[in-house]
Amino acid sequence: MILRRYRTSDCGEMAKLFYDTVHSVNAADYTEEQLGAWANGKVDLEAWDRSFREHITVVAVEDREDAEQIIGFGDMDSTGYLDRLYVHRDRQRQGIASAICDELERTVKAETYVTHASITAKPFFLKRGYRVVKEQQVERRGVLLANFVMEKKICERYSDK
């Protein structure tokens, strides 16, 4: 696995990975209606590309016969807000999400990291030292989905002592 920065040419493959992951990995915690509202297969690629370019975006790739296959991605803005984190449905629990988060947290220097974690992702973030600030219901295409505002405070990044 190689971690690298986002390229505009990645966007379409990342949108497909997002859809496939939501509809398989998150299916244990959300209804079909909720999954369809969350990921309906119609991503605004121009808006996603702009967002990925404005954020620090890390892409996990694997070399496959003269081509790279994207196996995960994550993006964080300059304030420490982790916007998206998705790993290919066939590559779960292999350390890919941890590697992406480690790189994002190493690159973005913030006092607090914040994310809105799905029910499925909540245990992952708890293990990384995040705590639940609140549970909330978010509306996507007229459908409510539960998620968790979570944060990880960095007490002292650098010490003078």
Side-chain angles (χ1 to χ4, degrees):
M1 173 185 71
I2 299 165
L3 295 180
R4 64 164 173 76
R5 292 300 167 99
Y6 169 76
R7 302 175 191 145
T8 295
S9 59
D10 296 332
C11 201
E13 188 176 348
M14 288 164 59
K16 182 177 179 348
L17 185 150
F18 162 72
Y19 178 88
D20 291 345
T21 300
V22 168
H23 282 270
S24 57
V25 175
N26 299 97
D29 298 309
Y30 295 91
T31 67
E32 259 322 298
E33 180 184 35
Q34 290 171 320
L35 297 172
W38 182 355
N40 69 356
K42 297 174 185 157
V43 169
D44 180 342
L45 293 178
E46 195 173 294
W48 264 37
D49 177 55
R50 185 173 43 257
S51 175
F52 287 138
R53 286 185 288 112
E54 290 171 354
H55 294 172
I56 301 297
T57 303
V58 174
V59 180
V61 297
E62 197 169 69
D63 282 326
R64 296 267 171 118
E65 302 173 15
D66 301 329
E68 290 180 339
Q69 178 189 10
I70 295 174
I71 56 175
F73 66 91
D75 65 305
M76 184 178 280
D77 72 15
S78 61
T79 69
Y81 174 67
L82 176 60
D83 192 358
R84 288 160 287 216
L85 177 64
Y86 293 93
V87 172
H88 191 284
R89 65 183 178 198
D90 296 332
R91 301 299 303 268
Q92 298 288 306
R93 293 174 174 61
Q94 296 178 17
I96 298 165
S98 293
I100 292 168
C101 281
D102 288 346
E103 181 64 19
L104 289 170
E105 290 176 4
R106 203 175 10 255
T107 304
V108 178
K109 305 300 184 200
E111 291 181 20
T112 304
Y113 297 110
V114 176
T115 194
H116 293 190
S118 67
I119 296 167
T120 314
K122 179 182 166 191
F124 169 80
F125 285 105
L126 288 171
K127 287 179 187 168
R128 289 191 61 80
Y130 285 70
R131 70 174 187 85
V132 174
V133 175
K134 69 177 180 176
E135 182 175 355
Q136 63 184 4
Q137 296 287 321
V138 294
E139 185 178 329
R140 298 285 181 265
R141 297 178 182 85
V143 178
L144 292 177
L145 296 93
N147 74 12
F148 301 88
V149 177
M150 299 183 75
E151 69 178 14
K152 178 180 180 179
K153 290 189 183 287
I154 306 302
C155 295
E156 285 186 58
R157 184 171 293 280
Y158 305 101
S159 175
D160 293 340
K161 298 175 184 173

